[in-house]
Amino acid sequence: MDLAFLHPLYEHPGPWASVYVDLSRHAENTPHERELTADAVARELASQGADDATCRAVRQAVDELRHSTDQHGRALFACAGRVVLDPPLARPPQGGTSAHWAPLPHVAPLLELAGEDPVCVVAYIDRKGADFELRSALGSQDAGGVSGRQWPVHRTSSVDWSERHFQLRVENTWEHNAAEIADALAVCQEETRADLLILVGDDRERRSVHERLPRRLQDRVVEASHGAGSRLLDDDVERLRDDHVRARAREDLDRFLAARAPDDEGRAAAVEGVPALIEAAREHRIDELLIIPDGPDTHREVWIGEDADQVAVRRTELKTLGEQNSWSARADDALLRSAVMTGAPAISVTAALPREAEGDAPVGGLGALLRWR
């Protein structure tokens, strides 16, 4: 997950209100229920020590979602009486709406609630062209399309020479249109930065387009087993998106496992556990942060200063480093702040992994691939 969009959260001093709002329920009395939720969130933040201005800002922001048609939820991050960031969620928060008040914004849940959402382009292909649809967990939208040659596109059953000549022209039309569709789909992927391309159509049409896509896109392309008119197509698309997430998670974990093994000089390109990660964060050496949500080390107490690299296992360490002000924070949120400010992405490695692979994940729930000095 690219964390660059979280930069605004670390441009302001805390403490922070972090609220994950469940918007998945839609019924006749939903607006009233959400109004009650807004009041409950404000009371919960106040009970944790939040200032009145921030409680009011959060209450108003949640209340404004009363009539939202969002199918999943929204995260709200507020401080000093203002909501600074409110990203949508790709899936509802487990356990319903929650609120946190802490020195750092509690962004770790975003790795699962907003991060594992591959954007895909569904290409509905026929012999005359294709229509493109952009899909994510937030919905779908038209993404354009392409029209190829419209004639001739149908074969005949005759064996007459002239008819065989006509059939050759049909073949040429198919091949020309497949090349145009592949070119347009490659442009669409580049413009939308889609993670996955799903081809829908007859076997031959899908295969012809698939073969003509650039090599750089081949590992992003899959073919749906059901056609555009099938009621099973939506389930097919969601299954392909889930398969893509699991494959990417497995690749990320395999890279971590390979990097964890020492080289000939006894150096490892990956570390795990809070002390090693804290040292890497102080030295700006985290290249990619790996997190198991709710792993035993994620909520371990660490100490932070005002800057992202001012982080320590013990409070006395910060004083030794010359930092006079320090606050207690969760380990995952402290390390995520460091990752954001140094441009490192973060991954929820077990969000989509099969249970048998969880033993390969970082011990304690936190690990990182390192940059060399």
Side-chain angles (χ1 to χ4, degrees):
M1 181 179 185
D2 185 352
L3 303 177
F5 75 100
L6 296 176
H7 263 279
L9 300 184
Y10 304 108
E11 295 171 355
H12 306 273
W16 285 86
S18 304
V19 179
Y20 291 87
V21 185
D22 185 354
L23 299 176
S24 60
R25 174 179 166 79
H26 297 273
E28 185 176 350
N29 65 336
T30 293
H32 177 64
E33 288 185 353
R34 291 179 180 171
E35 184 178 6
L36 297 177
T37 297
D39 292 335
V41 165
R43 287 195 302 270
E44 175 60 26
L45 290 172
S47 71
Q48 296 180 35
D51 59 276
D52 291 343
T54 300
C55 290
R56 286 195 300 270
V58 170
R59 188 206 173 283
Q60 180 179 348
V62 177
D63 189 57
E64 288 174 354
L65 297 171
R66 276 183 298 170
H67 300 286
S68 172
T69 57
D70 193 314
Q71 296 298 310
H72 306 292
R74 188 76 60 87
L76 303 171
F77 301 99
C79 72
R82 184 169 71 94
V83 175
V84 176
L85 198 66
D86 61 342
L89 303 179
R91 52 186 55 81
Q94 292 185 352
T97 299
S98 63
H100 310 266
W101 178 252
L104 289 179
H106 184 40
V107 300
L110 282 178
L111 298 184
E112 281 201 306
L113 298 179
E116 300 296 333
D117 175 28
V119 175
C120 70
V121 172
V122 182
Y124 298 93
I125 303 166
D126 60 32
R127 296 172 185 176
K128 296 182 180 181
D131 293 319
F132 303 148
E133 178 187 27
L134 190 66
R135 289 203 191 191
S136 72
L138 302 179
S140 62
Q141 64 186 75
D142 179 73
V146 60
S147 294
R149 293 175 182 169
Q150 303 299 297
W151 185 89
V153 293
H154 297 292
R155 291 177 171 179
T156 70
S157 58
S158 172
V159 295
D160 181 79
W161 178 89
S162 62
E163 293 300 335
R164 291 201 303 272
H165 179 69
F166 179 80
Q167 289 177 18
L168 179 61
R169 293 176 62 191
V170 170
E171 295 284 344
N172 290 339
T173 299
W174 287 0
E175 300 304 318
H176 174 273
N177 288 352
E180 285 204 358
I181 293 168
D183 289 344
L185 187 54
V187 171
C188 183
Q189 186 280 329
E190 189 171 352
E191 291 177 345
T192 61
R193 302 180 68 181
D195 304 288
L196 188 63
L197 303 176
I198 300 177
L199 308 184
V200 179
D202 291 343
D203 289 346
R204 175 170 178 169
E205 295 160 358
R206 298 196 312 262
R207 186 169 62 251
S208 294
V209 173
H210 196 158
E211 292 171 349
R212 287 164 174 77
L213 284 165
R215 182 176 298 177
R216 65 178 177 82
L217 296 179
Q218 289 298 326
D219 63 346
R220 297 175 182 259
V221 184
V222 292
E223 299 182 19
S225 56
H226 296 91
S230 173
R231 60 185 178 83
L232 299 175
L233 177 60
D234 286 343
D235 291 340
D236 207 11
V237 169
E238 289 309 304
R239 177 184 60 79
L240 292 171
R241 291 176 73 242
D242 289 343
D243 289 347
H244 177 77
V245 170
R246 282 192 290 271
R248 290 288 296 273
R250 182 69 252 186
E251 290 171 7
D252 291 329
L253 185 54
D254 287 344
R255 287 192 301 111
F256 173 77
L257 292 173
R260 191 166 55 181
D263 61 16
D264 294 339
E265 299 179 8
R267 300 180 305 177
V271 295
E272 55 190 320
V274 172
L277 286 163
I278 292 297
E279 181 180 355
R282 282 206 299 257
E283 297 175 351
H284 297 190
R285 294 186 61 214
I286 293 179
D287 192 50
E288 198 167 16
L289 185 65
L290 288 77
I291 294 180
I292 301 176
D294 295 325
D297 280 351
T298 57
H299 47 77
R300 179 172 166 178
E301 181 185 67
V302 299
W303 293 89
I304 60 168
E306 294 180 358
D307 296 329
D309 57 2
Q310 294 172 336
V311 56
V313 175
R314 300 177 185 83
R315 193 173 194 174
T316 53
E317 291 180 51
L318 285 181
K319 292 184 177 179
T320 303
L321 295 171
E323 177 60 33
Q324 299 303 312
N325 299 315
S326 59
W327 299 269
S328 171
R330 288 175 56 115
D332 52 2
D333 289 328
L335 291 166
L336 280 164
R337 179 179 70 157
S338 179
V340 170
M341 301 311 288
T342 57
I347 301 165
S348 174
V349 292
T350 60
L353 286 180
R355 183 173 298 276
E356 60 268 21
E358 293 183 6
D360 297 332
V363 175
L366 295 172
L369 294 162
L370 300 180
R371 301 173 178 140
W372 293 114
R373 295 181 188 273

